[in-house]
Amino acid sequence: MRAEPGEAGREDPFDEGASGLLHQPKAVWATAGASVVAFMGIGLVDPILPSIAKGLDASASQVSLLFTSYFLITAVAMLLTGWVSSRIGGRATLLVGLALVVVFAGLSGTSSSVAELVGFRAGWGLGNALFVSTALAVIVGAAAGGSAAAILLYESALGLGMACGPLLGALLGDASWRYPFFGTAALMAIGFVCITAFLKEQPRPARKTSLLDPIRALGHGGLASAAAAAFFYNYAFFTVLAFTPFVLDMSPYRSGAVFFAWGLLLAVFSVLVAPRLQARFGSLRVLGGSLVLLAADLVVLGYGNHTAAVAGTVVSGAFIGLNNTVFTELALGVSDAPRPVASAGYNFVRWFAAAAAPFLAPKIEEWTNVHVPFLVAAGAAVTGAVVVGVRRTALSHRAEELRPAHATEDGVGVFAN
């Protein structure tokens, strides 16, 4: 169990998991590799958003629907993933998700209008939801050396994917905005082959999950509070991810480099820094402080000059990495609901904000000016911190006793991430 903040002698969760990180069977590496590509798909379109708008003669608000459709479907699909995987098994769920991504990512590259591309991204979101919500549980079930190493590997895959997605988008998108979509389809097809070859079927849960179980789980005050705070946080997160490329107005290469640096900070602070800060200060203090700092960073990003905007974008990755890790742990452990069920309910709420931010930020700019969307996002981050503070009792029911995410014994992906 987690020691009280600052308690001497507490084992470092990173060191605990690192020893077994590299000694994994092929099935784990195949699933982790496919996870990297799945997470790459989130930020893949960042550097090419202006190019897509130009190529399809679309406005920023129209192109932002690529994120909205993707995450709206992802949110709804969170209610389905547990229901599906508890009936057909983890391996089959992964393969169905991968197959959907291959098909819809490929179709995205053939789009002749924004409406087509938005529709294909929605199908892609369904496939990605099925995959990423199941990947962690499969990795934990197949891993050698304990779940600590398995979950550390999963979080590393998340960070690497978020960092490399914009870079791949820039490299391929410099020639044509269509190529990143075809590239993702090809990589996910390779992942499909690897999982088919190396991953054996995992044991199915004794009890099948109901479609309403995640909604019922939100009746717990702690889980509902974590989901509400994460909703406001995700609005701020995806304002950075989906709206900033239009504000930076850089070439695909330069934009890709900025978001690559952003993703590296996200990965480092999520995997290495967050557990150490939690051990020293406690989960809720780290979360509240990080949300306030993210809000301050968003104000600088919105009101500073171009250099400040670039720096603010990169630095935001650090606060996003911290928030992702702490929110994940709260969602998995603050209630007594089974972790897959708690994860689905939590994600169902928070992904709606990820769908709303890319749509609302350009609209707010059209109604006001380019600065206000970042001010609204900063307000959302502060609201998330207020929810954490006001609901501290409900959230701290087990928050300081939670094992780090790297040490959970079972789990399902809370894609933070």
Side-chain angles (χ1 to χ4, degrees):
M1 306 297 279
R2 178 183 293 281
E4 290 296 323
E7 181 178 337
R10 183 186 183 277
E11 292 185 4
D12 191 311
F14 177 75
D15 293 337
E16 179 185 345
S19 61
L21 180 62
L22 299 178
H23 304 289
Q24 300 296 337
K26 293 179 180 178
V28 172
W29 287 116
T31 306
S35 298
V36 171
V37 181
F39 294 130
M40 285 169 62
I42 303 296
L44 180 81
V45 299
D46 263 17
I48 58 172
L49 284 175
S51 299
I52 294 173
K54 183 178 179 180
L56 296 178
D57 192 24
S59 67
S61 59
Q62 288 176 316
V63 173
S64 69
L65 292 175
L66 296 179
F67 285 98
T68 298
S69 63
Y70 183 93
F71 289 118
L72 187 60
I73 295 299
T74 297
V76 175
M78 286 299 165
L79 300 180
L80 301 174
T81 53
W83 185 89
V84 172
S85 63
S86 66
R87 284 162 174 78
I88 68 174
R91 180 177 181 272
T93 304
L94 289 180
L95 292 176
V96 170
L98 285 170
L100 288 172
V101 172
V102 170
V103 171
F104 284 104
L107 288 173
S108 295
T110 68
S111 301
S112 58
S113 68
V114 171
E116 283 187 8
L117 186 52
V118 168
F120 293 145
R121 279 282 285 182
W124 185 345
L126 174 60
N128 222 46
L130 289 171
F131 178 83
V132 301
S133 65
T134 310
L136 179 56
V138 170
I139 289 175
V140 169
S147 60
I151 297 176
L152 181 59
L153 183 63
Y154 178 85
E155 291 193 2
S156 301
L158 186 153
L160 183 61
M162 293 294 282
C164 292
L167 192 61
L168 178 66
L171 293 174
L172 296 179
D174 188 59
S176 169
W177 65 264
R178 300 179 185 275
Y179 291 169
F181 297 112
F182 295 139
T184 300
L187 289 172
M188 289 302 258
I190 294 172
F192 184 95
V193 172
C194 290
I195 288 179
T196 301
F198 299 122
L199 180 64
K200 297 180 180 179
E201 183 57 83
Q202 304 297 298
R204 300 185 188 183
R207 177 183 175 273
K208 293 180 178 179
T209 301
S210 163
L211 290 175
L212 294 179
D213 281 350
I215 301 297
R216 296 190 185 101
L218 290 170
H220 184 278
L223 183 60
S225 300
F231 176 89
F232 291 107
Y233 156 63
N234 264 31
Y235 185 92
F237 176 0
F238 285 94
T239 296
V240 174
L241 191 63
F243 183 64
T244 301
F246 292 105
V247 176
L248 297 180
D249 193 23
M250 304 168 77
S251 68
Y253 275 122
R254 290 185 177 182
S255 182
V258 169
F259 278 95
F260 176 69
W262 168 86
L264 284 181
L265 274 186
L266 187 155
V268 169
F269 274 74
S270 177
V271 176
L272 301 179
V273 179
R276 289 171 168 82
L277 290 180
Q278 288 174 274
R280 182 174 178 83
F281 299 108
S283 295
L284 299 185
R285 290 177 183 173
V286 171
L287 185 58
S290 182
L291 286 168
V292 171
L293 290 173
L294 176 60
D297 182 75
L298 282 163
V299 173
V300 173
L301 199 164
Y303 285 88
N305 58 24
H306 190 267
T307 301
V310 170
T313 300
V314 173
V315 171
S316 70
F319 307 126
I320 289 170
L322 291 175
N323 292 329
N324 283 350
T325 294
V326 181
F327 269 123
T328 295
E329 294 182 12
L330 285 178
L332 287 179
V334 75
S335 74
D336 295 325
R339 283 169 176 161
V341 173
S343 167
Y346 163 81
N347 279 297
F348 173 71
V349 172
R350 76 186 188 103
W351 284 122
F352 278 110
F359 174 75
L360 289 177
K363 289 293 185 183
I364 293 172
E365 181 196 14
E366 293 173 7
W367 299 331
T368 56
N369 57 59
V370 73
H371 309 297
V372 176
F374 293 102
L375 193 62
V376 172
V382 171
T383 302
V386 170
V387 172
V388 171
V390 171
R391 298 292 295 167
R392 185 178 186 86
T393 300
L395 290 170
S396 62
H397 171 60
R398 290 175 60 193
E400 299 306 338
E401 298 178 353
L402 290 176
R403 287 169 293 173
H406 314 308
T408 52
E409 292 176 357
D410 64 332
V412 67
V414 181
F415 170 55
N417 295 311

